[in-house]
């Protein structure tokens, strides 16, 4: 349990620093948006590129990829359908909500827990690469295409071009290609990319803290309460239960591996979802509140899983 405490402590400290920066106003009135754009356009693409060119892609082809990726897609699709039918939300909000209910905090919390709780960081690698290579491009492409409805131009041409101009998609695709061909860029190139990539996680956490300044979770008239409750229940309860079911009865996993899969499924919503929401100006309150609530709820959730399965 010490790994769980350590991981969450790091998150709360970074978010708290961001909150204090917002309260004091030392970074100005538009700090949250500027920092989010920095994370989106620079730090995260650098992180994805560096991670992929220095990773053996063979770790992706495992049962963990199918379990983690399949459960994320199922939960995200479930949110999309339920919110569309029952709540009637526009497509951009549905996409952000789907991510909020299923996009796992696999870096700043997942990595420490994989190392200190599961004793094996390889458990988190397939999920991280799935989110980089498949889930993020699908969601960001959907957001790019729905943005066309608010402008003019050539929809068919833009539908082909826009996904290729997204910096996160570009970073992921280039990283996969270079890793696949077996070429390692020189350190003079990798080192600055590593430095920029290292700013992605703290930048996203600081932006998350900045976004909490002067806000109240479930604030009447501003917070989409039903959307947040739906995303939180799916992320905190439905996703780890689904992961457990797929791992145990679909792949016959038992013992420590089953425990590890379930813990990964219980990780909270990633703060990067808020970065995406800010970039596309859709579902920002939904992403922010869901990330906060699921982070708090994941502490007892992971403790219960550890008690039942460890």
């Amino acid at each position: 349990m010490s790994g769980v405490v350590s991981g969450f402590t790091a998150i709360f400290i970074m978010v708290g620093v961001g909150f204090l920066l917002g309260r004091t106003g030392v970074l100005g009135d538009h700090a949250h948006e500027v920092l989010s754009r920095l994370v989106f356009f620079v730090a995260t693409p650098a992180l994805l590129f560096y991670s992929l060119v220095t990773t053996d892609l063979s770790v992706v082809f495992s049962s963990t990829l199918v379990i983690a990726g399949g459960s994320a897609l199922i939960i995200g699709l479930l949110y999309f359908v339920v919110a569309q039918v029952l709540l009637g939300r526009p497509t951009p909000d549905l996409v952000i909500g789907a991510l909020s209910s299923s996009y796992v905090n696999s870096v700043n919390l997942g990595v420490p827990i994989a190392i200190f709780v599961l004793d094996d960081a390889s458990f988190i690698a397939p999920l991280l690469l799935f989110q980089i290579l498949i889930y993020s491009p699908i969601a960001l492409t959907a957001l790019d295409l729905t943005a066309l409805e608010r402008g003019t131009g050539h929809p068919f041409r833009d539908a082909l071009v826009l996904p290729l101009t997204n910096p996160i998609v570009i970073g992921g695709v280039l990283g996969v290609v270079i890793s696949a061909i077996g070429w390692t860029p020189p350190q003079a190139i990798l080192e600055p990319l590593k430095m920029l990539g290292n700013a992605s996680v703290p930048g996203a956490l600081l932006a998350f803290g900045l976004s909490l300044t002067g806000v109240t979770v479930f604030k009447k008239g501003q917070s989409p309460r039903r959307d947040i409750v739906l995303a939180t229940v799916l992320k905190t309860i439905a996703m780890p239960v689904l992961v457990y079911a797929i791992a145990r009865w679909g792949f016959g996993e038992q013992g420590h591996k089953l425990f590890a899969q379930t813990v990964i499924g219980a990780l909270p919503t990633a703060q990067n979802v808020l970065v995406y929401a800010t970039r596309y100006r859709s579902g920002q309150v939904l992403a922010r509140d869901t990330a906060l609530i699921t982070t708090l709820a994941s502490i007892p959730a992971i403790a219960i899983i550890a008690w039942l399965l460890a």
Side-chain angles (χ1 to χ4, degrees):
M1 292 301 294
S2 61
V4 177
V5 175
S6 298
F8 280 106
T9 299
I11 286 181
F12 291 143
I13 290 175
M14 292 298 297
V15 171
V17 171
F19 179 78
L20 290 176
L21 290 174
R23 290 286 294 179
T24 57
V26 296
L27 299 183
D29 296 333
H30 304 289
H32 169 239
E33 184 172 351
V34 172
L35 185 56
S36 294
R37 290 174 64 85
L38 175 65
V39 172
F40 184 89
F41 284 101
V42 180
T44 300
L47 173 65
L48 303 188
F49 180 84
Y50 178 84
S51 299
L52 290 170
V53 299
T54 57
T55 298
D56 183 359
L57 294 183
S58 63
V59 300
V60 177
F61 302 101
S62 64
S63 61
T64 304
L65 172 65
V66 180
I67 295 168
S71 61
L73 289 175
I74 291 172
I75 294 296
L77 181 61
L78 179 60
Y79 176 94
F80 193 97
V81 172
V82 172
Q84 184 179 50
V85 173
L86 299 182
L87 305 179
R89 303 304 187 214
T91 300
D93 288 351
L94 292 174
V95 174
I96 295 299
L99 289 175
S100 298
S101 67
S102 58
Y103 199 98
V104 171
N105 190 332
S106 59
V107 179
N108 53 287
L109 183 60
V111 171
I113 285 182
I115 294 174
F116 296 113
V117 178
L118 308 179
D119 296 322
D120 189 354
S122 65
F123 281 111
I124 206 68
L127 173 61
L128 175 61
L129 295 180
F130 166 79
Q131 293 185 159
I132 292 171
L133 301 178
I134 300 175
Y135 207 9
S136 285
I138 290 174
L140 295 175
T141 298
L143 290 169
D144 278 330
L145 296 181
T146 55
L148 294 175
E149 300 174 2
R150 300 192 292 269
T152 59
H154 302 82
F156 180 74
R157 182 195 66 191
D158 292 342
L160 297 177
V161 173
L162 277 176
L164 303 179
T165 61
N166 187 291
I168 293 179
V169 175
I170 292 174
V173 171
L174 288 178
V176 170
V177 171
I178 292 177
S179 181
I181 64 178
W183 177 62
T184 301
Q187 283 298 118
I189 295 176
L190 287 179
E191 194 59 31
L193 289 173
K194 180 181 179 181
M195 294 171 65
L196 289 171
N198 286 339
S200 176
V201 172
L205 291 172
L206 288 173
F208 182 48
L210 285 166
S211 72
L212 298 177
T213 305
V215 301
T216 303
V217 177
F218 285 151
K219 187 172 183 180
K220 186 176 181 180
Q222 295 184 11
S223 180
R225 300 181 181 183
R226 291 180 295 176
D227 307 61
I228 295 170
V229 169
L230 175 60
T232 300
V233 170
L234 289 175
K235 181 70 211 68
T236 306
I237 300 175
M239 190 164 178
V241 170
L242 178 62
V243 168
Y244 176 87
I246 295 175
R248 180 171 181 179
W249 292 295
F251 290 84
E253 294 187 352
Q254 298 179 356
H256 181 71
K257 196 169 184 179
L258 177 61
F259 166 64
Q261 304 280 18
T262 310
V263 167
I264 291 172
L267 292 172
T269 302
Q271 281 77 24
N272 278 350
V273 178
L274 176 60
V275 174
Y276 300 159
T278 302
R279 169 68 183 91
Y280 292 96
R281 302 182 184 277
S282 299
Q284 296 180 56
V285 176
L286 168 60
R288 181 200 67 212
D289 289 2
T290 304
L292 175 60
I293 296 172
T294 56
T295 298
L296 295 174
S298 65
I299 299 175
I302 293 176
I304 291 172
I305 293 171
W307 177 62
L308 292 175
L309 301 181

